[in-house]
Amino acid sequence: MPRDSLQSVLDSERFTLLRAQEFFARFGDVELWEVVHRARWQRHTFGQALYRRGETGNSFHIITQGEVEVYREGQLVAKLGAGTSVGEMAYLAPNPELRVHSADVLVSKPATTVSFTPDTLAQLSLTTIGAFDKAFIGVLVRRLHAAHEALSHPRRIM
């Protein structure tokens, strides 16, 4: 099979993989194809750190396959699977002090992610950047709601 044909198969598989993710649910086909071509696709092995507490970051990952665990001060606080994002807080932070990671994010099941930095995100169309903004707002609202519920009803959540 010629290389171009193989790449189109890989790209169509990536498109289908992203289309199935909750994070990308509101992306149009054109925006999703842009993500397929512009994102950095990475495979991560068990135990690999995506982020370490105290490190400064400016990237984010969307998990497309596998699972990561989030640890704060050595305590497991979350397990995140396909369709979720990590690193967006450091990426979205309005100043450098807030770009320091507050947790360790470790791969617990071999994972594939798509990632962006401000430089690679800037290569996207305004429509695609807007789709990312809306997706991140949805993520942050869900996380704020979960935190509110945990504080309001600690026994019910645990």
Side-chain angles (χ1 to χ4, degrees):
M1 182 181 293
R3 180 158 171 71
D4 289 345
S5 297
L6 178 61
Q7 186 60 47
S8 74
V9 170
L10 291 175
D11 286 350
S12 65
E13 289 174 359
R14 288 175 171 178
F15 179 91
T16 301
L17 183 63
L18 293 181
R19 177 54 70 215
Q21 307 302 318
E22 180 183 350
F23 185 90
F24 295 105
R26 294 196 173 154
F27 281 59
D29 287 353
V30 171
E31 292 79 24
L32 208 53
W33 276 114
E34 204 172 354
V35 173
V36 166
H37 293 120
R38 299 279 187 193
R40 181 174 180 205
W41 289 80
Q42 297 174 275
R43 292 182 191 262
H44 306 277
T45 57
F46 174 82
Q48 184 178 352
L50 294 186
Y51 301 107
R52 290 279 183 193
R53 183 174 184 239
E55 290 179 343
T56 301
N58 72 344
S59 66
F60 62 87
H61 291 264
I62 303 347
I63 302 163
T64 61
Q65 295 176 316
E67 184 178 87
V68 301
E69 294 177 340
V70 180
Y71 292 88
R72 289 193 194 277
E73 298 179 13
Q75 296 291 332
L76 176 65
V77 296
K79 290 185 179 193
L80 305 173
T84 57
S85 61
V86 291
E88 72 280 346
M89 295 300 286
Y91 165 73
L92 293 168
N95 61 56
E97 294 81 34
L98 296 176
R99 291 190 187 114
V100 176
H101 293 287
S102 60
D104 294 313
V105 178
L106 306 175
V107 176
S108 55
K109 292 183 182 172
T112 301
T113 66
V114 293
S115 66
F116 283 94
T117 64
D119 290 338
T120 56
L121 201 63
Q123 296 172 18
L124 301 174
S125 68
L126 291 177
T127 305
T128 303
I129 292 170
F132 269 107
D133 290 346
K134 288 177 184 174
F136 280 133
I137 288 168
V139 167
L140 297 176
V141 166
R142 283 190 299 278
R143 289 183 184 168
L144 281 171
H145 178 73
H148 171 76
E149 287 297 306
L151 291 172
S152 297
H153 311 285
R155 290 192 176 130
R156 181 169 34 147
I157 299 301
M158 301 187 147

